Amino acid sequence: MARIVLKFGGTSVANVERIRHAARHVKREVDAGNQVSVVVSAMSGKTNELVGWVNESSPLHDAREYDAVVASGEQVTAGLMAIVLSEMGIPSRSFSGWQVPIKTDDAHGAARITDIDPTELNKRMEDGWVPVITGFQGIAPSGRITTLGRGGSDTSAVAVAAAVKADRCDIYTDVDGVYTTDPRITPKARRLSKISFEEMLEMASLGAKVLMIRSVELAMAQKVRLLVRSTFDDPDAPQVAPDGTPGVPGTLVCDEDEIMEKQIVSGVTLARGEAKITLRDVKDKPGVAAAVFGALADESIVVDMIVQNVSDDGSLTDITFTVPDSEYDKAVRAIEGARANVEFGKISSSKGGAKISVVGVGMRSHAGVAASMFKALADKGINIQLITTSEIKTSVLIDDEYAELAVRALHTYYGLDKEDA
Ligand code: ADP
Ligand code: ASP
Ligand code: MG
């Protein structure tokens, strides 16, 4: 017997028929003698609709009311899932975040889970019930509902799995695992049978939105084994593990030591909507970067790539950095506001860039990955605007027009293409 948390994303609960199908996955696990908790997202498209209504009501709304509205989507699916499971003969009860309770900080709209009391969930499971928990939300110290940021149900599921000490957390979604790149970009994308937490964390941070970044961080810290698998599988089919042994199909996100064959490059990611901002003729003296990036940090703007040149004569230089397009206006305002502390000339900027990254733990021990990446892009005539690297990834900023071409070219170049494609 194992204890498993099953998380169903938006497509898995898009309507009552899909909820019934998802419930059959739950039933299979219960029938196998496992203790199961379920975490659900809102029906696909629902959260977007709710966010739209909030913005339509007032673009400058109170974040507490945003949370009150957008958290409602998951409440619907949790209740429906509990009804459907009960109808199948599986005793089930829905729980909103505040009923568990899932405690969070008070950062409305982007809250972090601080604590989950597992008592009620454990008791239910031990008594043969299946608790169905609303993903994406919790309760602030003030007693108000909070939400965790878009895609947050993944994080709820991992946090619940850690709290109830589950053996595994299964993420049911509309793809049958984690791919070498977004399968919507190239049909040659290949499913990985295993990926390390670290690589998954980089991939999620770099644009592979199959798992929310925070959920991978949490899984890595709490050592929760994650299995990403398809909701569309036949729930009654024999379960076959990624390595062909009896078990379950999908991609296992696990510790690096569990992966025998380490790839140099495991995946290629694409993040669109990157704004590039350059400050010209900045005084080249200590404290300048601290003043520029301090002004951005004060506005809670997350800066991604940063490049600063050395000036020829030690007097003036340029600083370039990127922020998400959505933060562009705020960033420019913050920089203009910092003029009192930093002297610079004009600001030149552009929105809508694309960041392409290659990720792999093998990069630690292999030289030349960055060089080969630049060559592969040069062969396609793609110009690189900015470059950043870390231990297990290399990223470049390019014109959005070439984004998909670049992903496909790199995917082929690093031998990731599916053999039969
Ligand atoms: P859910 O609603 O189940 O949470 P999401 O839409 O958040 O599902 O995430 C699944 C989607 O992530 C897939 O449909 C796929 O297009 C996208 N995706 C992006 N990169 C990858 C990748 N490397 N592997 C698998 N899916 C990816
Ligand atoms: N429903 C929320 C969203 O669309 C949370 C989630 O699905 O993970 O962002
Ligand atoms: Mg998601």
Side-chain angles (χ1 to χ4, degrees), residues 79 103 129 279:
K103 293 186 184 153
W129 285 67
L279 310 189

Side-chain angles (χ1 to χ4, degrees), residues 103-108 110-115 139-141 144 146-147:
K103 293 186 184 153
T104 72
D105 61 17
D106 60 2
H108 283 276
R112 279 183 163 238
I113 297 176
T114 51
D115 184 43
I139 178 171
R144 301 210 64 92
T146 48
T147 63

Side-chain angles (χ1 to χ4, degrees), residues 28-49:
R28 184 194 58 240
E29 300 298 351
V30 171
D31 288 350
N34 298 314
Q35 292 187 354
V36 176
S37 281
V38 173
V39 173
V40 286
S41 290
M43 292 179 175
S44 61
K46 192 68 204 172
T47 310
N48 285 346
E49 182 181 48

Side-chain angles (χ1 to χ4, degrees), residues 24-34 36 88-90 236:
R24 287 173 53 210
H25 284 295
V26 179
K27 184 170 185 323
R28 184 194 58 240
E29 300 298 351
V30 171
D31 288 350
N34 298 314
V36 176
M88 287 178 166
I90 300 169
D236 304 319

Side-chain angles (χ1 to χ4, degrees), residues 166-388:
D167 299 290
R168 228 178 47 223
C169 179
D170 292 355
I171 307 282
Y172 285 80
T173 183
D174 59 359
V175 272
D176 60 357
V178 179
Y179 277 68
T180 45
T181 194
D182 189 338
R184 289 183 206 180
I185 299 178
T186 168
K188 293 180 183 166
R190 197 156 39 82
R191 190 181 70 195
L192 296 158
S193 55
K194 288 185 180 175
I195 183 167
S196 69
F197 286 124
E198 268 189 304
E199 286 167 314
M200 191 64 239
L201 191 59
E202 286 286 7
M203 289 199 34
S205 316
L206 296 166
K209 66 153 206 165
V210 59
L211 287 174
M212 192 203 202
I213 304 168
R214 179 83 189 116
S215 72
V216 187
E217 252 168 33
L218 203 59
M220 185 155 118
Q222 303 277 342
K223 299 236 176 286
V224 175
R225 286 156 68 84
L226 288 178
L227 183 79
V228 180
R229 55 174 298 180
S230 173
T231 194
F232 301 122
D233 283 350
D234 176 0
D236 304 319
Q239 306 284 294
V240 181
D243 60 4
T245 55
V248 271
T251 299
L252 190 66
V253 188
C254 58
D255 257 344
E256 202 177 312
D257 326 337
E258 284 189 53
I259 301 172
M260 307 291 282
E261 207 183 306
K262 297 194 177 40
Q263 303 295 327
I264 298 176
V265 171
S266 299
V268 183
T269 60
L270 160 62
R272 301 197 120 110
E274 299 273 325
K276 183 176 72 167
I277 301 176
T278 302
L279 310 189
R280 303 275 178 212
D281 302 331
V282 185
K283 270 261 166 18
D284 195 6
K285 60 174 191 190
V288 165
V292 169
F293 295 105
L296 295 163
D298 287 347
E299 294 295 320
S300 307
I301 298 168
V302 179
V303 176
D304 184 10
M305 310 171 105
I306 300 177
V307 177
Q308 180 183 341
N309 291 327
V310 184
S311 55
D312 261 353
D313 55 359
S315 63
L316 297 178
T317 183
D318 291 347
I319 298 180
T320 301
F321 59 90
T322 64
V323 295
D325 275 355
S326 57
E327 300 276 41
Y328 172 84
D329 292 336
K330 212 162 117 189
V332 172
R333 230 178 300 133
I335 295 295
E336 288 291 1
R339 268 193 197 275
N341 306 323
V342 206
E343 282 173 50
F344 59 87
K346 67 173 187 166
I347 299 181
S348 45
S349 57
S350 58
K351 281 166 85 168
K355 183 173 66 169
I356 315 286
S357 313
V358 296
V359 177
V361 282
M363 269 186 222
R364 280 202 201 106
S365 47
H366 279 81
V369 175
S372 62
M373 179 183 188
F374 306 153
K375 171 148 194 334
L377 294 173
D379 286 348
K380 295 282 172 196
I382 299 171
N383 190 34
I384 299 170
Q385 301 172 9
L386 290 177
I387 301 163
T388 53

